[in-house]
Amino acid sequence: MADDSPFTVDADWLQSRLGEPGLTIVDASWYLPAQKRDARAEYEAAHIPGARFFDHDAASDPDAKLPHTLPSPQHFAQYVGTMGISADDTIVVHDGPGFFSAPRAWWMLRVMGVFQVYVLDGGFDRWKAAGRPVTAEPTKIAPNVFHADFDAARVASLSDMRRIVETKESQIADARGAGRFTGTEPEPRAGVRSGHMPGARNLPYSALSQDGELLSKDSLRKAVEDAGIDLSKPVVTSCGSGITAAVVTLALETLGHTDNRLYDGSWTEWGGLADTPVATGKE
């Protein structure tokens, strides 16, 4: 399905390259409480040989009040350096289901200057179900010096979003489910209002993959356009806390759309403030 994406690799491709120098496998699984899955415990019980665990919380800004805030380039470089990652590596990231939290790690690495980074189609759940190699052996890691080359233009701030909502200079693609977008379902975080940024379009991240695989380019284009998003114009992606917005970013980039940013504070920031405008309903 996603054979035509320049940002994904399939399980056959990865399995045939296990153990190759310069190939780094990163388990970037992270789950919401409702999913009742413990990413680190699952990794320690079974992972792809050579994989190392990417902790989204440890890779976040330790001083931020919001969850999963992009850290400084220095903090990120220190964290991934201890994982033995070099910016010159070919990096394959994955999560359990396929396209949930892995694209966030993909996006972070790209924003910090890594370009040979891909997401594993099908995720680890399908890798394991197919009887492909797994191990519980701890991965031997030699720390590395990671040189971050941060591209700040790919990140949207709260002040950017206030301006965008007012001027409509960019489209906003909201990756949350329809119920949260329209305001008919409560937000999972306390103190966060329901609804969406005025003018935003709803493009649920879950509509961009099937059975753990990214949709084909034609299907991605249809999903994006059906959501009312014009691929010839700038887009900012957003979600609950900045994780699944990256699934939409990956879909846009797959379609050759490069004029996009990710709103890192996402709805937890916007919906948690008292003075930000909030819309409900489908529009």
Side-chain angles (χ1 to χ4, degrees):
M1 285 160 68
D3 295 345
D4 53 359
S5 172
F7 304 114
T8 62
V9 295
D10 65 23
D12 287 341
W13 184 96
L14 182 58
Q15 187 171 343
S16 70
R17 288 166 175 78
L18 290 180
E20 279 190 4
L23 175 73
T24 300
I25 304 165
V26 175
D27 183 339
S29 300
W30 173 86
Y31 300 106
L32 291 161
Q35 290 168 288
K36 294 183 167 55
R37 293 180 68 167
D38 183 327
R40 186 180 286 277
E42 288 185 22
Y43 167 81
E44 289 172 356
H47 52 263
I48 298 172
R52 54 226 46 202
F53 185 74
F54 182 92
D55 184 330
H56 284 271
D57 295 313
S60 297
D61 181 347
D63 300 320
K65 294 182 174 66
L66 296 165
H68 312 126
T69 299
L70 193 70
S72 68
Q74 295 79 9
H75 180 93
F76 187 83
Q78 184 179 13
Y79 178 72
V80 297
T82 61
M83 290 174 66
I85 293 176
S86 159
D88 299 324
D89 291 347
T90 296
I91 301 171
V92 177
V93 296
H94 72 81
D95 55 34
F99 286 88
F100 181 62
S101 59
R104 170 71 182 190
W106 169 87
W107 176 79
M108 290 174 79
L109 286 159
R110 281 170 58 84
V111 163
M112 294 296 179
V114 180
F115 293 100
Q116 295 291 110
V117 56
Y118 309 92
V119 177
L120 175 64
D121 248 332
F124 183 67
D125 292 351
R126 203 153 92 191
W127 176 281
K128 193 175 172 184
R132 296 181 185 272
V134 300
T135 182
E137 288 290 314
T139 299
K140 292 184 174 66
I141 293 172
N144 216 324
V145 176
F146 182 92
H147 295 285
D149 183 12
F150 179 50
D151 185 357
R154 306 313 296 266
V155 188
S157 66
L158 174 63
S159 57
D160 291 331
M161 298 312 296
R162 287 186 189 275
R163 188 182 68 251
I164 287 166
V165 165
E166 195 170 314
T167 65
K168 298 182 171 47
E169 66 195 60
S170 177
Q171 303 167 99
I172 304 167
D174 190 324
R176 294 174 302 151
R180 290 171 66 187
F181 179 86
T182 58
T184 56
E185 287 178 16
E187 282 298 303
R189 291 179 176 88
V192 178
R193 292 175 291 166
S194 296
H196 58 268
M197 287 172 267
R201 299 291 183 171
N202 192 202
L203 181 57
Y205 78 91
S206 57
L208 302 173
S209 65
Q210 187 174 349
D211 301 326
E213 285 191 27
L214 191 68
L215 298 180
S216 67
K217 281 186 183 177
D218 286 346
S219 297
L220 287 176
R221 187 174 287 106
K222 184 176 189 311
V224 170
E225 291 174 349
D226 285 354
I229 293 162
D230 184 341
L231 285 162
S232 70
K233 295 176 181 173
V235 179
V236 177
T237 63
S238 180
C239 60
S241 67
I243 296 277
T244 58
V247 181
V248 178
T249 303
L250 190 148
L252 292 172
E253 293 279 341
T254 293
L255 293 171
H257 185 287
T258 56
D259 189 3
N260 62 73
R261 291 185 281 172
L262 188 149
Y263 173 27
D264 201 38
S266 279
W267 191 252
T268 302
E269 179 172 55
W270 189 274
L273 294 169
D275 67 338
T276 45
V278 170
T280 54
K282 292 184 178 177
E283 291 295 328

